[in-house]
Amino acid sequence: AKRMRGQLLAPILSLSARRAVVDGVPRMGAALGATRAPHVLGDLTVYRNHFFSSEEAQDNVALVVTNSPTVNEDVASVRDEGDSVFARAWRASRMRVCADGAANRLFDGLGTQSLRATHVPDLIAGDLDSIRDDVRAYYERLGARIYRDRDEDHHDLDKCLSQLLPVQDRWIQEGTRSMTIIVLGSFGGRLDQEMANLNMLFRWRSFGRILLLSSDSTAMLLRPGRHEIHPDLSFESRGCGLIPLGTPCRSVTTSGLRWNLGAQELAFGGLVSSSNEIVDDVVHIETDSELLWTTTLRMSTAL
């Protein structure tokens, strides 16, 4: 079934009733350095996506651009001064990272020296088997740090995330919340690489959250527990989905959706709540297992 018409639920317990967590970090009752999202039912994790509409960098947001062919067109749209997923993600981020050959796509897509000079990544990381010599030399000259990791058991996104861990530690020491990482170019290319990107959501639990992003969609992993999601409806459309990736979810309860769930099971081979719709400004989700939350962007050609 693509959609689930469930009973409309009363709002989940108020924020004051239980310990709250914002982007994976406790809002109260926990140490500042606690960067892991809660795994205990009863914790409430709050996610706000309004940084996509910000005109300036957010103090806890980092961007990783992947070496995906889907990145090319979105980067190139900056030349026409058009609004784009890339432009919003770049503008919202305090630190920008290219995964190996993504530096080529950034360099080629921007096209002009003036745009290249204002879009210099802070870090280029990976095994560096894809980045061209001229691109590497250009960005090194403008101050980008180059990190090479020859480990063949981990792909370039993995290597970029490992380099962001000490950055997150430094930001937290400065008084910033744990890091939100936007991964641009996560979908739309090879299926095996898309699955590898999704696997990063399960592997990396030390950040506030990782948000996978393409020109069509966002995706993030919800841990077992209670979640309050504030979508940016000027950037995201109302189209959404709840995907039980990894293991079945025996009990999922929602409010704020057109087809809500009331302690119902989601599983491949059974019900998957795709093609659902956001109807309120805030969405509440309670799940007993890890659950993928996806939204479709207003800019998407798939709408």
Side-chain angles (χ1 to χ4, degrees):
K2 295 183 82 175
R3 299 179 177 178
M4 182 63 200
R5 292 174 171 84
Q7 64 193 57
L8 183 62
L9 304 173
I12 296 174
L13 292 180
S14 69
L15 185 64
S16 60
R18 300 179 182 178
R19 189 168 67 117
V21 177
V22 179
D23 280 347
V25 178
R27 182 184 286 167
M28 51 188 171
L32 179 64
T35 62
R36 181 169 296 193
H39 288 220
V40 181
L41 288 171
D43 284 334
L44 176 66
T45 309
V46 180
Y47 301 99
R48 302 182 189 276
N49 287 352
H50 295 90
F51 51 79
F52 281 119
S53 295
S54 175
E55 293 298 322
E56 56 187 34
Q58 305 299 292
D59 61 3
N60 72 320
V61 177
L63 169 66
V64 178
V65 183
T66 66
N67 186 21
S68 167
T70 62
V71 169
N72 293 34
E73 183 175 346
D74 203 52
V75 172
S77 67
V78 176
R79 288 181 290 185
D80 301 323
E81 299 183 356
D83 193 15
S84 70
V85 175
F86 167 77
R88 288 185 179 231
W90 186 276
R91 188 169 57 238
S93 300
R94 176 178 175 182
M95 183 170 183
R96 295 96 173 205
V97 181
C98 283
D100 195 0
N104 300 337
R105 301 187 187 280
L106 182 66
F107 183 90
D108 295 340
L110 292 171
T112 68
Q113 292 300 326
S114 60
L115 284 173
R116 289 168 182 159
T118 57
H119 293 80
V120 178
D122 300 285
L123 170 68
I124 301 170
D127 57 13
L128 305 187
D129 64 343
S130 299
I131 187 172
R132 301 196 307 266
D133 290 342
D134 63 312
V135 173
R136 174 172 179 167
Y138 177 82
Y139 285 128
E140 277 188 305
R141 188 166 63 252
L142 292 182
R145 184 168 74 88
I146 310 295
Y147 173 76
R148 185 173 192 177
D149 185 340
R150 300 176 187 269
D151 183 358
E152 295 183 354
D153 292 329
H154 297 86
H155 61 59
D156 288 333
L157 177 55
D158 233 339
K159 296 168 185 178
C160 291
L161 295 176
S162 70
Q163 290 298 296
L164 286 173
L165 267 180
V167 177
Q168 174 180 247
D169 291 341
R170 186 172 71 250
W171 289 2
I172 289 174
Q173 289 172 0
E174 296 171 357
T176 302
R177 293 167 293 157
S178 64
M179 188 179 286
T180 290
I181 301 174
I182 303 168
V183 181
L184 180 65
S186 296
F187 307 115
R190 284 169 40 189
L191 179 59
D192 60 332
Q193 292 180 343
E194 292 180 355
M195 297 306 294
N197 293 337
L198 288 166
N199 187 46
M200 295 299 100
L201 300 181
F202 291 84
R203 279 177 45 81
W204 287 91
R205 300 170 183 260
S206 299
F207 299 105
R209 65 166 159 163
I210 298 174
L211 184 69
L212 302 183
L213 179 67
S214 72
S215 57
D216 293 301
S217 303
T218 75
M220 67 177 180
L221 191 66
L222 306 179
R223 307 290 178 191
R226 300 167 59 248
H227 304 271
E228 180 181 294
I229 301 171
H230 297 249
D232 181 351
L233 294 177
S234 69
F235 178 67
E236 300 167 88
S237 75
R238 294 188 179 273
C240 65
L242 293 162
I243 313 298
L245 190 65
T247 59
C249 297
R250 302 301 179 188
S251 179
V252 179
T253 298
T254 69
S255 67
L257 303 179
R258 184 174 181 186
W259 292 285
N260 278 304
L261 301 165
Q264 289 166 266
E265 182 178 35
L266 296 179
F268 280 99
L271 175 65
V272 173
S273 184
S274 63
S275 301
N276 212 321
E277 184 178 330
I278 299 168
V279 295
D280 293 336
D281 291 337
V282 180
V283 175
H284 291 93
I285 301 169
E286 184 167 353
T287 177
D288 69 335
S289 300
E290 290 167 322
L291 181 64
L292 194 71
W293 165 256
T294 72
T295 61
T296 304
L297 302 186
R298 285 185 173 273
M299 301 176 188
S300 172
T301 58
L303 285 175

